[in-house]
Amino acid sequence: MDALFPELIWLVCIAFMAGLVDAAVGGGGLVQLPGLFTALPQYAPAALLGTNKFSSIFGTAAAGWRYARNVRFPWMPVLCASATAFVFAFAGATAVSLLPRDAVRPLILVLLVAMLAYTLVKKDFGVLHRPREVGRRELALALAMGAAIGFYDGLFGPGTGSFLIFLFIRFFGLDFLRATAASKIVNLATNLAALSFFVPSGHVLLTFAVPMAIANVGGSVVGTRLALRGGTPLIRKLFVALVVVLIAKMAWDTFAR
């Protein structure tokens, strides 16, 4: 353990930054997961993925709790989306062995570019809070949305929070602040689904996961406070910046090989 102490300090710092970014606009996995693979290359990928999910779920829960206390958003479609997201995250994880991840990257890259273009062209997108009345159509849409995002998170993962924010704005009329709050609840469900596999199968490095979870919660508190104070204008800017980073990373992973 003494030999791994420098790596632990590094990972705790990474977890704090991941919690901060994820609480504000999503995308904490872009920070934390590469940090784990870089610091602990001697461990199996499944153990690193499980450690990432274990530490990040506490930050996501803390962010969701703080948002729920301070921001009003429509709970019924959020809970419907969370339920199907939980179930289909299992299906996505199962499909990993059937569908190569390299086959998914080009499609996700196209979706990210389209999402960024739509956000930039529509200047009022996510700026105004114009919630739609929740009826059967909206609930059915929430169930379908949760199923698609849950499957994607189980299968691949990067950008899950960004996709959720975009969809809550586009189809439910929320602004960026409320969409971010709603996305945390659904993301919590997908993380729980993943952990229900990783924990029983022993794919969590608790020596690293527990300190990282504490740091992730600390970053989450700071990120949530920053988002609540900055409001929708700040989150919109962070969202655009994060999607640009996602596109750059996905393009590199797709074409650099």
Side-chain angles (χ1 to χ4, degrees):
M1 187 61 214
D2 290 341
L4 294 175
F5 186 73
E7 285 81 359
L8 179 58
I9 297 299
W10 163 251
L11 288 172
V12 164
C13 295
I14 289 291
F16 179 87
M17 288 305 301
L20 191 155
V21 171
D22 197 68
V25 73
L30 286 174
V31 179
Q32 188 164 275
L33 198 53
L36 278 163
F37 275 89
T38 301
L40 304 173
Q42 68 272 35
Y43 290 97
L48 300 181
L49 289 168
T51 302
N52 174 64
K53 287 294 185 183
F54 183 93
S55 57
S56 62
I57 194 172
F58 290 94
T60 302
W65 180 71
R66 287 181 64 84
Y67 277 124
R69 290 183 60 196
N70 292 280
V71 177
R72 289 187 176 182
F73 54 86
W75 274 98
M76 187 56 70
V78 171
L79 292 177
C80 287
S82 299
T84 52
F86 182 91
V87 173
F88 277 83
F90 276 114
T94 303
V96 168
S97 60
L98 305 176
L99 183 65
R101 293 188 178 193
D102 289 343
V104 181
R105 283 195 177 93
L107 174 61
I108 302 306
L109 181 59
V110 171
L111 290 175
L112 285 169
V113 171
M115 190 168 71
L116 177 63
Y118 188 92
T119 303
L120 293 176
V121 169
K122 290 185 69 67
K123 300 297 182 182
D124 63 340
F125 182 73
V127 174
L128 302 176
H129 181 55
R130 295 174 289 196
R132 299 175 185 175
E133 186 175 344
V134 178
R136 291 183 179 179
R137 177 179 176 276
E138 285 71 25
L139 292 180
L141 185 61
L143 290 170
M145 189 175 86
I149 292 297
F151 184 83
Y152 170 73
D153 194 39
L155 175 69
F156 197 62
T160 297
S162 299
F163 282 123
L164 282 169
I165 291 170
F166 180 86
L167 292 172
F168 274 121
I169 295 172
R170 175 65 181 82
F171 294 110
F172 293 93
L174 307 186
D175 60 16
F176 268 101
L177 178 61
R178 290 168 178 82
T180 300
S183 73
K184 294 299 156 217
I185 308 302
V186 182
N187 217 180
L188 183 62
T190 61
N191 285 345
L192 279 172
L195 279 179
S196 63
F197 165 75
F198 285 123
V199 172
S201 58
H203 293 308
V204 177
L205 305 172
L206 291 176
T207 303
F208 299 98
V210 173
M212 287 178 68
I214 296 170
N216 200 270
V217 170
S220 174
V221 171
V222 175
T224 308
R225 187 173 299 172
L226 182 69
L228 290 171
R229 287 184 178 179
T232 288
L234 174 63
I235 297 179
R236 180 185 169 91
K237 293 176 183 176
L238 291 173
F239 175 83
V240 170
L242 178 66
V243 173
V244 169
V245 171
L246 271 168
I247 290 172
K249 183 182 185 302
M250 205 70 69
W252 174 265
D253 291 342
T254 303
F255 300 114
R257 299 179 181 185

